[in-house]
């Protein structure tokens, strides 16, 4: 599936996104994919490759501060992100859409479903729950540790990435994601695009700044929570099965599904096939 690289103005900034519909005809059923905290629109490339149906329009956005989207100095609350999405969809003349959100993107999808309910048809949460592993901050250190650093070359960067505890295998579909993750400097070095201070604001005023336990019951959309309880770091899953099921039970209209892999590898390999099949079955 060929994705078009596009830019659009929304909420006072320029957002970059990938779009499978080159005509903007709006004749296809739209699905919005929202990536994790420090990720980018290419995070779902392997999942896109496993969709067999041609009746869907896939839109995958670079959230503000990530990928090729603008990087304002502040404005990384959940409301800021939500206004970006609402403005983007409005400018695309899309009034309602299915949302697939991974991790931070799942929280944003949940926020949109609660506060902009008419816009969200069905919701797919990929490893996002009210309560994650109690040691989540420590477990994310390897993923967040790359931010703010400069690497000698892209090959050096990839070699460092492959040493991460959560990468139990390498999928060539990961390459497009990691290429989009860094800025190529004139001297051949590379620097991750996401800035640590922006991501910290997104965590403190975004994913951790919301009373999810109090408001989750306001989400009335049909939801599927897809969980990958494989070991991510420190010998544990980032979202253990029991905590994922806890959130599924708190939602008024949700079911729980499990796929192989962990919080990161669930987007690739056999897990990507499983997720693509689950999504297609869920939104048909």
């Amino acid at each position: 599936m060929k994705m078009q690289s596009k830019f659009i103005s929304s909420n006072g900034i320029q957002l970059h996104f990938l779009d499978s519909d080159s005509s903007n005809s709006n004749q296809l059923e739209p699905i919005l994919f929202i990536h994790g905290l420090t990720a980018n629109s290419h995070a779902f490339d392997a999942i896109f490759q496993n969709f067999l149906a041609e009746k869907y329009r896939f839109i995958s956005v670079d959230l503000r501060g990530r990928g090729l989207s603008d990087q304002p100095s502040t404005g990384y609350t959940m409301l800021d992100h939500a206004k970006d999405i609402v403005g983007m969809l409005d400018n695309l003349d899309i009034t309602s859409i299915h949302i697939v959100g991974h991790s931070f993107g799942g929280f944003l999808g949940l926020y949109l479903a609660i506060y902009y309910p008419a816009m969200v048809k069905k919701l797919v949460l990929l490893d996002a729950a009210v309560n994650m592993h109690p040691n989540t901050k420590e477990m994310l250190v390897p993923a967040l540790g790359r931010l703010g650093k400069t690497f000698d070359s892209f090959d050096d960067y990839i070699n460092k990435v492959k040493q991460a505890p959560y990468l139990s295998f390498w999928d060539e579909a990961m390459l497009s994601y990691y290429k989009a993750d860094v800025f190529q400097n004139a001297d051949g070095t590379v620097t991750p695009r996401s800035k640590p201070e922006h991501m910290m604001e997104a965590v403190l005023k975004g994913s951790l700044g919301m009373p999810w336990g109090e408001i989750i019951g306001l989400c009335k959309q049909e939801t599927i929570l897809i969980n990958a309880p494989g070991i991510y770091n420190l010998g544990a899953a980032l979202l253990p099965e029991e905590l994922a099921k806890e959130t599924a039970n708190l939602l008024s209209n949700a079911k729980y599904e499990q796929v192989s892999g962990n919080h990161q590898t669930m987007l690739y390999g056999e897990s990507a096939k499983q997720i693509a099949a689950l999504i297609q079955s869920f939104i048909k």
Side-chain angles (χ1 to χ4, degrees), residues 67-68 71 149-151 154 157 178-194:
L68 298 178
Q71 298 188 347
K149 294 182 178 178
T150 296
F151 298 84
F154 181 70
Y157 172 67
Y178 285 111
K179 282 184 176 179
D181 186 55
V182 295
F183 178 79
Q184 186 82 42
N185 301 309
D187 61 359
T189 62
V190 299
T191 307
R193 292 181 179 274
S194 300

Side-chain angles (χ1 to χ4, degrees), residues 20-21 25-31 54-58:
S20 65
D21 182 15
S25 63
N26 286 336
Q27 298 301 306
L28 303 174
E29 183 79 359
I31 310 175
E54 296 181 353
K55 63 179 181 179
Y56 304 112
R57 177 183 182 181
F58 302 100

Side-chain angles (χ1 to χ4, degrees), residues 90-118:
D90 184 56
N91 289 337
L92 290 172
D93 294 321
I94 296 175
T95 56
S96 62
I97 195 167
H98 302 293
I99 293 182
V100 178
H102 176 239
S103 194
F104 182 91
F107 291 114
L108 179 53
L110 185 59
Y111 185 96
L112 289 163
I114 292 171
Y115 293 104
Y116 301 87

Side-chain angles (χ1 to χ4, degrees), residues 129 131 133-134 227 229 237 239-249 256 258:
N131 295 306
H133 192 282
N227 175 218
L239 178 55
E241 178 180 345
E242 62 272 17
L243 294 181
K245 288 183 175 178
E246 174 189 76
T247 286
N249 290 332
Y256 171 89
Q258 190 174 115

Side-chain angles (χ1 to χ4, degrees), residues 70-91:
D70 282 351
Q71 298 188 347
S73 57
T74 59
Y76 292 86
T77 68
M78 203 54 79
L79 178 58
D80 292 317
H81 286 91
K83 286 183 175 179
D84 292 346
I85 298 299
V86 172
M88 178 185 75
L89 295 178
D90 184 56
N91 289 337

Side-chain angles (χ1 to χ4, degrees), residues 172-223:
E172 285 305 309
M174 296 177 182
L175 195 58
S176 58
Y177 164 72
Y178 285 111
K179 282 184 176 179
D181 186 55
V182 295
F183 178 79
Q184 186 82 42
N185 301 309
D187 61 359
T189 62
V190 299
T191 307
R193 292 181 179 274
S194 300
K195 296 181 179 180
E197 62 270 26
H198 296 165
M199 298 305 99
M200 184 58 66
E201 184 180 346
V203 170
L204 297 179
K205 296 183 179 180
S207 53
L208 294 184
M210 296 295 302
W212 297 113
E214 299 174 16
I215 65 175
I216 191 169
L218 298 175
C219 176
K220 305 302 181 183
Q221 287 85 346
E222 188 176 353
T223 303

